[in-house]
Amino acid sequence: MAQDTRTRPKTGWYLLGPAFVAAIAYVDPGNVAANVSAGAQFGYLLLWVIVAANLMAGLVQYLSAKLGLVTGHSLPEAVGRQINRPTRLAYWVQAEVVAMATDVAEVVGGAIALRILFHLPLLVGGLITGVVSLLLLAVRDRNGQRLFEQLITGLLLVIAIGFTASFFVATPPPGAVLGGLVPHFHGSESVLLAAAILGATVMPHAVYLHSGLARDRHGQPDAGPPRRWLLRVTRWDVGLAMTVAGGVNAAMLLVAALNMAGRGGTGSIDGAYAAVRDTVNPLIAVFFAVGLLISGLASASVGAYAGAMIMQGLLYRSVPMLVRRMVTLTPAILILASGFDPTRALVLSQVVLSFGIPFALFPLVRLTSNRAVMGADTNHRVTTGVGWTIAVMISVLNVVLIYLTVRGAT
């Protein structure tokens, strides 16, 4: 629906929201594991990687939302319309594996947080995380997307408070922070962690989801001023949401660098919690654990939402959310029941996610740079060039992540 220009100042803030739902994927437990490990092992060294990854992710998320607004199709739908049925089924299989890997990270992270806070067994915590994520999705089904966006945005703010609370006690030295913004590495392990940060930042399911979120919220606006207005609002939406997500990720690394550098036993999330408790104070450590818990609950619901959108876009069929939730939840529950190291499971889930990144990024850049698909809103040549550079760079770095992880395991 076209927007009345006289109401733009009043409606601009109301139109924000889809990007904040997608941004939850950027502060999930996988990010916590990567960022805390980087800060604990290398101090402020890799802060620049978080900033660079956040800038890349901002462009990717904007292109995804733009595709949904201009074409009226989600990215899975747009891809499905371009390929034949056998290829579409194969594409769906890899996307479904990525969705399951996403659930592993979110559910395991939530289970770890519940164990820290309430001493619950990991399996029980995983089941609770799965149930709560389903309840969050029920809010959207019963009350609509706008309330769901407000709820997820509120949870994002809780996550931000949880991971920045320690700055009220001690703040990192400005000189060290500025030094961390200068691009450099220190050995192969820092390269591995940089690739892990990048892999945990640009998430395939968030790229798929944002196109559908923007389409479902705003429809397919008319070409010309109405569409340009919504695209402008979308840029603000993405910019604000990614600023919050990037700030939270940077805070995770800074907290680890300030309180955990040089300490033993910080290679796990439990160890990171113990380090905050011992070096700051127990209350701040509780905030840290609550931030982790909310990130697991919120990101699990957003991941399940993305999985449903992927299935509907590629298979042209809708499966009841409870059935989908049980399917994607099963691997995470089996991992928790087996007694497998939960922090290791988080790291390996990021490796699996890495396989799915090229399948999301390359079609996105190709579609948004195709005039037959986008019309007058086709990407500028500079945007397309930057988009291809980001897609190739992220894909190559994730290949490096996979190689170094496999080599380290042998």
Side-chain angles (χ1 to χ4, degrees):
M1 181 180 295
Q3 302 292 321
D4 185 343
T5 57
R6 292 171 299 178
T7 65
R8 287 179 185 174
K10 297 180 181 178
T11 60
W13 287 103
Y14 176 79
L15 296 173
L16 302 179
F20 284 83
V21 176
I24 282 290
Y26 294 90
V27 291
D28 75 344
N31 291 90
V32 179
N35 295 330
V36 167
S37 294
Q41 292 185 46
F42 295 100
Y44 306 96
L45 177 75
L46 298 178
L47 181 60
W48 68 272
V49 177
I50 291 178
V51 175
N54 203 63
L55 292 173
M56 293 179 191
L59 176 61
V60 169
Q61 292 304 139
Y62 172 69
L63 292 181
S64 177
K66 178 182 175 181
L67 177 71
L69 287 173
V70 173
T71 67
H73 300 293
S74 68
L75 178 57
E77 289 172 342
V79 170
R81 292 162 64 90
Q82 302 281 323
I83 56 181
N84 58 33
R85 188 172 186 275
T87 307
R88 185 158 37 86
L89 290 175
Y91 192 94
W92 169 75
V93 169
Q94 66 82 25
E96 198 66 32
V97 171
V98 168
M100 290 183 181
T102 301
D103 241 5
V104 168
E106 328 302 30
V107 172
V108 169
I112 293 173
L114 287 169
R115 181 177 67 181
I116 291 172
L117 289 169
F118 305 109
H119 307 290
L120 294 177
L122 285 174
L123 180 59
V124 174
L127 291 170
I128 291 174
T129 302
V131 170
V132 173
S133 67
L134 191 60
L135 293 176
L136 290 174
L137 288 170
V139 170
R140 180 189 177 276
D141 292 339
R142 291 176 179 270
N143 303 102
Q145 183 170 326
R146 178 60 180 163
L147 182 60
F148 180 71
E149 289 174 359
Q150 292 173 333
L151 177 60
I152 295 297
T153 301
L155 293 177
L156 178 60
L157 295 178
V158 173
I159 295 168
I161 293 170
F163 289 118
T164 59
S166 67
F167 293 150
F168 290 100
V169 177
T171 56
V177 174
L178 291 175
L181 295 175
V182 178
H184 59 297
F185 294 105
H186 190 268
S188 60
E189 182 65 20
S190 67
V191 177
L192 172 60
L193 279 172
I197 290 171
L198 196 60
T201 300
V202 181
M203 306 288 277
H205 71 284
V207 180
Y208 292 126
L209 178 64
H210 201 166
S211 54
L213 288 170
R215 183 270 318 271
D216 292 346
R217 178 70 185 282
H218 304 304
Q220 186 180 4
D222 297 333
R227 185 181 293 168
R228 287 198 298 271
W229 163 243
L230 272 178
L231 288 174
R232 190 178 305 119
V233 171
T234 298
R235 285 194 290 270
W236 276 101
D237 192 25
V238 172
L240 291 171
M242 295 309 299
T243 296
V244 174
V248 172
N249 280 312
M252 295 176 195
L253 184 143
L254 293 175
V255 167
L258 185 63
N259 301 299
M260 305 173 201
R263 285 178 57 99
T266 57
S268 67
I269 291 178
D270 296 87
Y273 165 80
V276 173
R277 181 193 61 206
D278 296 340
T279 58
V280 186
N281 67 51
L283 178 60
I284 297 299
V286 169
F287 276 105
F288 179 90
V290 168
L292 174 64
L293 173 61
I294 299 301
S295 76
L297 296 176
S299 54
S301 66
V302 171
Y305 186 3
M309 187 174 291
I310 291 168
M311 176 175 282
Q312 189 166 9
L314 292 171
L315 299 186
Y316 307 142
R317 64 181 61 183
S318 180
V319 175
M321 186 59 70
L322 180 60
V323 175
R324 268 209 55 82
R325 199 74 196 94
M326 294 304 297
V327 171
T328 56
L329 191 63
T330 299
I333 297 302
L334 291 177
I335 287 172
L336 293 174
S338 70
F340 190 81
D341 177 39
T343 301
R344 184 65 177 166
L346 277 176
V347 173
L348 292 177
S349 72
Q350 302 308 303
V351 175
V352 176
L353 284 172
S354 300
F355 283 103
I357 287 177
F359 293 98
L361 294 190
F362 286 106
L364 175 65
V365 178
R366 179 180 174 275
L367 287 166
T368 54
S369 60
N370 187 338
R371 188 165 293 277
V373 175
M374 302 293 289
D377 293 295
T378 304
N379 292 342
H380 189 279
R381 272 184 278 184
V382 174
T383 303
T384 298
V386 174
W388 282 120
T389 301
I390 290 173
V392 171
M393 184 184 305
I394 292 176
S395 298
V396 169
L397 282 174
N398 277 280
V399 170
V400 172
L401 171 64
I402 294 167
Y403 169 74
L404 292 176
T405 303
V406 172
R407 191 182 70 174
T410 58

